[in-house]
Amino acid sequence: MKSKYEFPAGFLWGSASSSYQIEGAANEGGKGESIWDRFSHTPGTIGDGSTGDVSCDFYHRYEEDIALMKKLGLCAYRMSVSWPRILPKGTGEVNREGVAFYRRVLQCLRDNGIKACLTIYHWDLPQALQNRGGWANREIVKWFEDYAKVLYAELGDLVDFWITINEPIIAAMNGHWLQEHAPGYRDFSLALLAAHHLLMAHGAAVKAFRETGLKAEIGCSLNIQMEYPLNPDDERDLEAARFMTAHQNAFYLDALYQKRYPAEYLQALESRGVALPEILEGDMELIAQRTDFLGINTYFSEFIKYDDSRWPLSAAAGKTGREVTDMGWELCPDGFYDLMEWVQKSYAPGKIIITENGVACNDWVKQNGKVEDSNRREYLERYLAEAARAIEAGVNIAGYFYWCFTDNFEWARGYAARFGIVHVDYKTQKRTVKESAYWYSEVVKNNGFSPARA
Ligand code: FCB
């Protein structure tokens, strides 16, 4: 182990969030209904029966949160825009109150010297567009492009980094196949169609961005991870892991960087009875627009075993006995390094920004007033060490955003999973900076760290 990990000059240290997870004010300021408002209010969808109606009330408390970011010395903050706060019906009339809110937040970041990284879509689709077919309707590519253009025109002067779409795979698969997320369908073919449209929407937004002449950078955030075979001596596990690599990673990366989808993956799905999306001439060109960086969200690695009961993937993640986080995700920091190396070798994306990485822990405020989250600090230390190792090996990682700044509404888990480096007491809205945040703050200040065990 090294005695000190150093990061390149100008490394972008930040923390991330998303609108539905933190804003609250679900029915304020002229906002329209989103699919997450509808979904979370449907009984049986959220583990703890909660909704994002209030959450950590960022809508009213953003100044306090940004002051904490400043105190901790963060260089950048990643947040998203709620589409129905800007366009309550998804298309058409712009809600000026919504625009004014985001301008206030972005201006506050700028006044505090914090760079703004703005995600255009982090899953809260206007319900009005879901009623017109949502991501399964090809027309959404145009709806999204028009929405993105509103943001470029109204907020463009205050944004440093744009992210078109957060994790197309989760929006598509968890929302349209696994029934875990809004809009809550169970149809693999529909999910694949949604994935194609999400990628096209990304491309259309990048293309429109270039036409604005804005100077900021733009990219997409993919949720990718290593898919290892559970038993490397078993040919069926090896094949299942290859298939999952295509499903989780290559479908999106091939499209963005090689203008195609993995042919074997699609053939296998078709042979298992999946209806493939219709791909028209020009679709792949639209998707594969040049971007300024690849956003990577990654939390764990998977160890895959063959499982023919799991249609249509015939693969499932097994357990290796590694430590697990509060989400049940296995800790595997070296998988982070392998992933960076694999992405670099396979796609050479130029610049990479880790737009999400983090851990849910069972945190509480102790009698001494502190949140002593040593597991999170350890997670951060081990993953950042792997990031430093990847940089040293030649991977151009230019930034790291810890997920998440404050504890928040963790989708299907509700408030039961705490990811923040700042604790939120949901009854009083009191913020408590966790010990891990103080450690992270030192890392940012020193642009590196000495491992505790060295
Ligand atoms: C990612 C999401 C993010 C958050 C983390 C834990 O998949 O993008 O909103 O929920 O997982």
Side-chain angles (χ1 to χ4, degrees):
M1 193 195 306
K2 295 186 63 155
S3 62
K4 188 164 194 304
Y5 293 101
E6 283 173 79
F7 287 79
F11 195 78
L12 196 66
W13 293 104
S15 190
S17 69
S18 89
S19 46
Y20 188 72
Q21 295 180 274
I22 63 164
E23 275 178 14
N27 304 306
E28 277 178 61
K31 175 182 160 292
E33 187 188 17
S34 81
I35 57 174
W36 270 95
D37 293 313
R38 179 72 61 97
F39 187 74
S40 65
H41 278 269
T42 306
T45 53
I46 310 300
D48 62 359
S50 63
T51 72
D53 283 4
V54 179
S55 188
C56 27
D57 197 27
F58 181 79
Y59 190 79
H60 298 109
R61 294 167 196 267
Y62 68 90
E63 284 174 309
E64 180 185 347
D65 288 346
I66 293 173
L68 286 179
M69 291 170 208
K70 163 99 173 160
K71 184 175 149 202
L72 292 168
L74 298 191
C75 318
Y77 183 53
R78 175 178 174 226
M79 54 182 266
S80 78
V81 175
S82 157
W83 186 341
R85 206 179 274 294
I86 297 291
L87 298 164
K89 296 274 169 256
T91 56
E93 208 174 321
V94 173
N95 172 32
R96 301 306 322 168
E97 265 189 88
V99 169
F101 165 65
Y102 290 110
R103 285 202 67 83
R104 283 199 300 277
V105 175
L106 293 168
Q107 187 63 54
C108 184
L109 286 171
R110 182 151 294 183
D111 293 346
N112 283 284
I114 298 167
K115 290 210 164 79
C117 176
L118 200 66
T119 310
I120 301 174
Y121 184 72
H122 200 127
W123 308 350
D124 39 1
L125 186 75
Q127 181 64 39
L129 295 185
Q130 188 59 48
N131 298 346
R132 294 161 74 185
W135 288 106
N137 183 345
R138 198 180 156 94
E139 278 186 58
I140 199 164
V141 178
K142 182 79 183 106
W143 301 335
F144 185 74
E145 182 187 332
D146 290 345
Y147 159 53
K149 282 180 174 165
V150 171
L151 300 192
Y152 301 149
E154 300 284 356
L155 311 175
D157 57 322
L158 294 171
V159 176
D160 302 284
F161 298 89
W162 292 90
I163 289 168
T164 52
I165 295 203
N166 181 68
E167 302 185 354
I169 189 172
I170 306 292
M173 292 295 155
N174 295 42
H176 299 78
W177 174 46
L178 297 170
Q179 252 181 338
E180 284 169 3
H181 284 185
Y185 293 121
R186 192 157 200 93
D187 181 336
F188 193 92
S189 303
L190 195 74
L192 209 59
L193 182 65
H196 181 54
H197 294 155
L198 280 151
L199 285 166
M200 285 177 67
H202 152 80
V206 174
K207 196 157 173 256
F209 178 76
R210 299 295 181 212
E211 285 156 14
T212 65
L214 284 167
K215 290 283 171 286
E217 297 186 14
I218 192 163
C220 186
S221 283
L222 298 184
N223 176 248
I224 56 177
Q225 65 222 14
M226 286 308 288
E227 304 285 348
Y228 300 106
L230 185 63
N231 177 359
D233 297 327
D234 184 334
E235 191 41 54
R236 292 188 315 173
D237 284 9
L238 281 165
E239 176 47 34
R242 275 195 292 273
F243 186 84
M244 284 305 288
T245 300
H247 173 72
Q248 183 78 34
N249 307 337
F251 183 84
Y252 303 89
L253 285 161
D254 283 13
L256 292 178
Y257 291 97
Q258 298 171 353
K259 257 190 244 182
R260 56 161 193 200
Y261 290 127
E264 277 179 25
Y265 168 73
L266 291 185
Q267 276 154 18
L269 288 177
E270 195 170 29
S271 73
R272 295 170 195 173
V274 171
L276 299 185
E278 194 182 12
I279 299 167
L280 302 183
E281 212 187 313
D283 286 5
M284 300 315 290
E285 281 71 22
L286 180 65
I287 293 171
Q289 300 294 310
R290 180 185 61 79
T291 50
D292 301 302
F293 62 89
L294 169 65
I296 295 182
N297 297 356
T298 193
Y299 290 86
F300 54 88
S301 302
E302 283 189 325
F303 292 81
I304 301 296
K305 59 181 182 335
Y306 172 76
D307 179 354
D308 65 355
S309 70
R310 196 156 174 255
W311 183 89
L313 305 180
S314 295
K319 296 251 175 284
T320 67
R322 286 176 168 76
E323 291 97 342
V324 289
T325 72
D326 250 28
M327 294 295 280
W329 296 342
E330 285 193 353
L331 221 61
C332 182
D334 35 331
F336 183 97
Y337 177 87
D338 288 352
L339 182 72
M340 294 305 129
E341 200 181 38
W342 176 76
V343 169
Q344 181 64 31
K345 197 171 79 219
S346 315
Y347 301 98
K351 176 162 153 177
I352 291 173
I353 299 179
I354 306 302
T355 42
E356 284 182 32
N357 174 243
V359 60
C361 303
N362 180 19
D363 307 317
W364 72 85
V365 184
K366 301 260 171 67
Q367 290 184 88
N368 62 9
K370 293 183 177 175
V371 181
E372 293 169 330
D373 55 338
S374 57
N375 283 358
R376 180 170 293 99
R377 184 214 135 123
E378 164 88 4
Y379 179 100
L380 259 165
E381 184 175 320
R382 287 168 71 176
Y383 277 75
L384 287 178
E386 296 300 324
R389 210 154 70 80
I391 292 169
E392 211 172 276
V395 186
N396 182 13
I397 304 176
Y400 176 92
F401 288 73
Y402 177 79
W403 179 276
C404 187
F405 188 64
T406 52
D407 292 334
N408 60 68
F409 178 80
E410 176 46 38
W411 309 114
R413 295 287 300 274
Y415 297 101
R418 291 185 180 270
F419 272 93
I421 44 174
V422 174
H423 181 276
V424 176
D425 178 331
Y426 295 111
K427 285 206 182 76
T428 60
Q429 291 296 346
K430 183 173 186 305
R431 270 68 169 152
T432 305
V433 176
K434 301 182 190 178
E435 294 302 297
S436 62
Y438 291 119
W439 183 82
Y440 187 51
S441 173
E442 285 298 305
V443 175
V444 176
K445 194 166 89 198
N446 300 319
N447 206 29
F449 64 94
S450 301
R453 292 166 297 163

Coordinates of all heavy atoms in Angstrom, one line a residue, residues 144-172:
F144 N -37.9 15.6 -25.0 CA -36.7 15.8 -24.2 C -35.8 16.8 -24.8 O -35.2 17.7 -24.0 CB -35.9 14.4 -24.1 CG -34.7 14.5 -23.1 CD1 -35.0 14.6 -21.7 CD2 -33.4 14.5 -23.6 CE1 -33.9 14.7 -20.8 CE2 -32.4 14.6 -22.7 CZ -32.6 14.7 -21.3
E145 N -35.6 16.8 -26.1 CA -34.8 17.8 -26.7 C -35.3 19.2 -26.4 O -34.6 20.1 -26.1 CB -34.7 17.6 -28.2 CG -33.8 18.5 -28.9 CD -33.9 18.4 -30.5 OE1 -34.1 17.3 -31.0 OE2 -33.6 19.4 -31.1
D146 N -36.6 19.4 -26.5 CA -37.2 20.7 -26.3 C -37.0 21.1 -24.9 O -36.8 22.3 -24.6 CB -38.7 20.7 -26.7 CG -38.9 20.6 -28.2 OD1 -38.0 20.8 -28.9 OD2 -40.1 20.2 -28.6
Y147 N -37.2 20.2 -24.0 CA -37.0 20.5 -22.5 C -35.5 20.9 -22.3 O -35.3 21.9 -21.6 CB -37.4 19.2 -21.7 CG -36.8 19.1 -20.3 CD1 -37.0 20.1 -19.4 CD2 -36.2 17.9 -19.9 CE1 -36.4 20.0 -18.1 CE2 -35.7 17.8 -18.6 CZ -35.8 18.8 -17.7 OH -35.3 18.7 -16.5
A148 N -34.6 20.1 -22.9 CA -33.2 20.5 -22.7 C -32.9 21.9 -23.2 O -32.2 22.7 -22.6 CB -32.3 19.4 -23.4
K149 N -33.5 22.2 -24.3 CA -33.3 23.6 -24.9 C -33.8 24.7 -24.0 O -33.1 25.7 -23.9 CB -34.0 23.7 -26.2 CG -33.3 23.0 -27.4 CD -34.0 23.2 -28.7 CE -33.3 22.6 -29.9 NZ -34.3 22.5 -31.0
V150 N -34.9 24.4 -23.3 CA -35.4 25.4 -22.3 C -34.3 25.6 -21.2 O -33.9 26.7 -20.8 CB -36.7 24.9 -21.7 CG1 -37.1 25.8 -20.5 CG2 -37.8 24.9 -22.7
L151 N -33.7 24.5 -20.8 CA -32.7 24.6 -19.7 C -31.4 25.3 -20.2 O -30.9 26.1 -19.5 CB -32.3 23.2 -19.2 CG -33.4 22.4 -18.5 CD1 -32.8 21.2 -17.8 CD2 -34.3 23.2 -17.5
Y152 N -31.0 25.0 -21.4 CA -29.8 25.7 -21.9 C -30.1 27.2 -22.0 O -29.2 28.0 -21.6 CB -29.5 25.2 -23.3 CG -29.2 23.7 -23.4 CD1 -29.5 23.0 -24.6 CD2 -28.6 23.0 -22.4 CE1 -29.2 21.6 -24.7 CE2 -28.4 21.6 -22.5 CZ -28.7 20.9 -23.7 OH -28.4 19.6 -23.8
A153 N -31.3 27.6 -22.4 CA -31.6 29.0 -22.6 C -31.7 29.7 -21.2 O -31.3 30.8 -21.0 CB -32.8 29.2 -23.4
E154 N -32.4 29.0 -20.3 CA -32.8 29.6 -19.0 C -31.6 29.5 -18.0 O -31.6 30.4 -17.1 CB -34.0 29.0 -18.5 CG -35.2 29.1 -19.4 CD -35.8 30.6 -19.4 OE1 -35.4 31.4 -18.6 OE2 -36.8 30.8 -20.2
L155 N -30.9 28.5 -18.0 CA -29.9 28.2 -16.9 C -28.4 28.1 -17.4 O -27.5 28.0 -16.6 CB -30.2 26.9 -16.2 CG -31.7 26.7 -15.7 CD1 -31.8 25.3 -15.1 CD2 -32.1 27.8 -14.7
G156 N -28.3 28.2 -18.7 CA -27.0 27.9 -19.3 C -25.8 28.7 -18.8 O -24.7 28.2 -18.7
D157 N -26.1 30.0 -18.5 CA -25.0 30.8 -18.0 C -24.5 30.4 -16.6 O -23.4 30.9 -16.2 CB -25.5 32.3 -18.0 CG -26.7 32.5 -17.1 OD1 -27.6 31.6 -17.1 OD2 -26.8 33.5 -16.4
L158 N -25.2 29.6 -15.9 CA -24.8 29.2 -14.6 C -24.3 27.8 -14.4 O -24.1 27.3 -13.3 CB -26.0 29.5 -13.6 CG -26.4 31.0 -13.4 CD1 -27.7 31.1 -12.7 CD2 -25.3 31.8 -12.7
V159 N -24.2 27.1 -15.5 CA -23.9 25.6 -15.4 C -22.5 25.4 -16.0 O -22.2 25.8 -17.0 CB -25.0 24.8 -16.1 CG1 -24.6 23.3 -16.1 CG2 -26.3 25.0 -15.5
D160 N -21.7 24.6 -15.2 CA -20.4 24.2 -15.7 C -20.3 22.9 -16.4 O -19.5 22.7 -17.3 CB -19.4 24.2 -14.5 CG -19.4 25.6 -13.8 OD1 -18.8 26.5 -14.3 OD2 -20.1 25.7 -12.7
F161 N -21.1 21.9 -15.9 CA -21.1 20.6 -16.5 C -22.6 20.2 -16.6 O -23.4 20.3 -15.7 CB -20.4 19.6 -15.6 CG -19.0 19.8 -15.3 CD1 -18.6 20.7 -14.3 CD2 -18.0 19.3 -16.2 CE1 -17.2 21.0 -14.1 CE2 -16.6 19.6 -16.0 CZ -16.3 20.4 -15.0
W162 N -22.9 19.6 -17.8 CA -24.3 19.1 -18.0 C -24.2 17.6 -18.1 O -23.3 17.0 -18.7 CB -24.8 19.6 -19.3 CG -25.1 21.1 -19.4 CD1 -24.2 22.1 -19.7 CD2 -26.3 21.7 -19.0 NE1 -24.9 23.3 -19.6 CE2 -26.2 23.1 -19.2 CE3 -27.6 21.3 -18.6 CZ2 -27.2 24.0 -19.0 CZ3 -28.6 22.2 -18.4 CH2 -28.4 23.6 -18.6
I163 N -25.2 16.9 -17.4 CA -25.4 15.5 -17.6 C -26.7 15.3 -18.2 O -27.7 15.8 -17.7 CB -25.2 14.7 -16.3 CG1 -23.7 14.8 -15.9 CG2 -25.7 13.3 -16.4 CD1 -23.4 14.4 -14.5
T164 N -26.8 14.7 -19.4 CA -28.1 14.6 -20.1 C -29.0 13.7 -19.3 O -30.1 14.1 -18.9 CB -27.9 14.0 -21.5 OG1 -27.1 12.7 -21.3 CG2 -27.1 14.9 -22.4
I165 N -28.6 12.4 -19.1 CA -29.5 11.4 -18.5 C -28.7 10.6 -17.5 O -27.6 10.2 -17.7 CB -30.1 10.5 -19.6 CG1 -30.9 11.3 -20.5 CG2 -30.8 9.3 -19.0 CD1 -32.0 10.7 -21.3
N166 N -29.3 10.5 -16.3 CA -28.7 9.6 -15.3 C -29.1 8.2 -15.4 O -30.3 7.9 -15.4 CB -29.2 10.1 -13.9 CG -28.5 9.3 -12.8 OD1 -27.3 9.4 -12.6 ND2 -29.3 8.5 -12.1
E167 N -28.1 7.3 -15.6 CA -28.3 5.9 -15.6 C -29.5 5.4 -16.5 O -30.5 4.9 -16.0 CB -28.5 5.4 -14.2 CG -27.3 5.7 -13.3 CD -27.5 5.1 -11.9 OE1 -28.5 4.6 -11.6 OE2 -26.5 5.3 -11.1
P168 N -29.4 5.5 -17.8 CA -30.5 5.0 -18.7 C -30.9 3.5 -18.3 O -32.1 3.2 -18.4 CB -29.9 5.1 -20.1 CG -28.5 5.6 -20.0 CD -28.3 6.1 -18.6
I169 N -29.9 2.7 -17.9 CA -30.3 1.3 -17.6 C -31.3 1.2 -16.5 O -32.2 0.4 -16.5 CB -29.0 0.4 -17.3 CG1 -29.5 -1.1 -17.3 CG2 -28.3 0.8 -16.0 CD1 -28.4 -2.1 -17.2
I170 N -31.1 2.0 -15.5 CA -32.0 1.9 -14.3 C -33.4 2.5 -14.7 O -34.4 1.9 -14.3 CB -31.4 2.6 -13.0 CG1 -30.0 2.1 -12.7 CG2 -32.3 2.4 -11.8 CD1 -29.9 0.6 -12.3
A171 N -33.4 3.6 -15.4 CA -34.7 4.2 -15.8 C -35.4 3.2 -16.6 O -36.6 3.0 -16.5 CB -34.4 5.5 -16.5
A172 N -34.7 2.5 -17.5 CA -35.3 1.5 -18.4 C -35.7 0.3 -17.7 O -36.9 -0.1 -17.6 CB -34.4 1.2 -19.6

